[in-house]
Amino acid sequence: MRLSTVILPVHRWAEGQKVWRRAEELGFHAAYTYDHLSWRSFRDEPWFGSVPTLTAAATATERIRLGTLVTSPNFRHPVTLAKELITLDDVSGGRLTLGIGAGGAGFDATALGQEAWSGRERAARFGEFVGLLDELLRNDAVTREGVYYSAVEARNVPGCVQVPRVPFYVAATGPKGLRLAAEQGQGWVTYGDPRGPADVPVQQAPEVIARQVGQLAAACEAAGRDVGELEKVLLQGSTAERPLESVGAFVDWAGTYRELGITELVVHWPVPDSVFAGDLAVFERIATEGLAQLG
């Protein structure tokens, strides 16, 4: 099992670079950031772009993997995104992971002036988005006409450092998304029950993940893949569980999800006076001691 962190893009870089470097010093497997134009309670607070932030982080670190959790079609197009990803993969020396999801109905969904898409349209767009992005990242030139996204002689030379392309970690909890993860993903991301933390008692949270892992295995079988090929990533923070309160709480939490087949845990770097507030000293102890105590 691996331990990674999410560093929200809320810091001016004079301070932000210290956080990303510290994440590497603490031994995290990867450091991700959210790819939003704004997000929930941070809407009127500082919030920077994910790709420039990750590019800066790539120059400030040497070993830690970097990525998004998650990028969505809400304000992205595969052609322009592919060019940014190839550049970021190059700057980072092949340390990039693309977490990608269908997006939701939050601020990003309407920031460009469009009406928020229905769930059906969002799923359809996501499938087409991922398929075209995959093709763009694997090929020097792509022409493809889609219902929602097209490319005309789109060039991506020299391509990704990672071959055949940067890995996709597909965030999904429903059948269409899980099928896409099985077909296109090198990893799968879940944050728990999509209904939200208030609707699922803590003791039932593992049952939700166990059910999703089973559904992923079925989707992989239908796609002719071994579910063991996929990394299974749990993003902490969307359930009522509190694994960052102490090292002991983390060890119990991590052990529960390791038994269910989760291969990577992602915890939020503490942000004072926010929903992600926490004790930084405890957090750093979890980073350096937590997994070792699993035995």
Side-chain angles (χ1 to χ4, degrees):
M1 175 175 270
R2 295 164 169 167
L3 180 60
S4 300
T5 188
V6 168
I7 300 171
L8 297 188
V10 297
H11 308 281
R12 290 194 179 276
W13 191 241
E15 292 301 318
Q17 60 184 308
K18 299 174 186 177
V19 177
W20 289 86
R21 289 194 183 108
R22 185 59 178 156
E24 182 168 79
E25 291 170 357
L26 290 170
F28 282 109
H29 167 67
Y32 302 96
T33 198
Y34 283 2
D35 186 22
H36 293 292
L37 298 174
S38 59
W39 189 78
R40 299 185 186 179
S41 58
F42 292 87
R43 186 177 187 181
D44 296 317
E45 302 295 329
W47 190 273
F48 295 95
S50 65
V51 172
T53 295
L54 290 170
T55 304
T59 66
T61 58
E62 297 178 354
R63 302 175 305 278
I64 193 168
R65 288 198 65 83
L66 307 166
T68 57
L69 277 185
V70 294
T71 294
S72 84
N74 269 342
F75 60 93
R76 298 285 189 186
H77 190 285
V79 170
T80 53
L81 178 61
K83 184 66 69 174
E84 293 184 343
L85 295 175
I86 286 171
T87 304
L88 181 49
D89 196 43
D90 182 71
V91 173
S92 68
R95 291 186 283 138
L96 175 63
T97 297
L98 178 69
I100 188 167
F107 308 130
D108 295 345
T110 55
L112 300 185
Q114 77 271 29
E115 294 293 325
W117 303 322
S118 67
R120 181 184 297 272
E121 181 177 350
R122 192 180 303 119
R125 282 179 175 271
F126 185 43
E128 189 174 304
F129 188 97
V130 172
L132 178 53
L133 186 61
D134 172 71
E135 189 173 351
L136 288 160
L137 293 175
R138 290 176 184 267
N139 297 281
D140 290 348
V142 173
T143 294
R144 176 172 171 178
E145 184 176 352
V147 176
Y148 302 106
Y149 305 103
S150 298
V152 180
E153 289 294 313
R155 295 294 202 273
N156 284 303
V157 179
C160 297
V161 173
Q162 300 174 87
V163 177
R165 59 157 168 74
V166 301
F168 288 2
Y169 282 15
V170 180
T173 57
K176 292 181 180 178
L178 289 167
R179 184 166 61 246
L180 194 61
E183 294 171 350
Q184 299 275 12
Q186 286 65 58
W188 162 70
V189 180
T190 180
Y191 54 84
D193 194 294
R195 292 176 297 173
D199 300 316
V200 182
V202 169
Q203 62 271 22
Q204 293 180 16
E207 299 173 17
V208 173
I209 301 301
R211 184 168 60 251
Q212 291 174 353
V213 171
Q215 292 168 338
L216 177 68
C220 284
E221 183 177 1
R225 290 188 70 184
D226 179 354
V227 69
E229 296 176 10
L230 274 72
E231 296 293 336
K232 299 160 195 73
V233 183
L234 174 60
L235 173 62
Q236 168 267 336
S238 295
T239 72
E241 298 164 297
R242 295 291 180 265
L244 301 183
E245 288 188 345
S246 67
V247 175
F250 172 83
V251 171
D252 290 344
W253 177 74
T256 295
Y257 288 105
R258 183 174 67 173
E259 291 182 4
L260 296 180
I262 295 298
T263 60
E264 182 177 344
L265 298 169
V266 184
V267 294
H268 288 85
W269 194 279
V271 179
D273 302 318
S274 77
V275 294
F276 299 120
D279 188 319
L280 184 58
V282 171
F283 180 81
E284 293 199 350
R285 282 194 61 207
I286 288 170
T288 55
E289 304 172 22
L291 290 185
Q293 294 190 25
L294 283 177

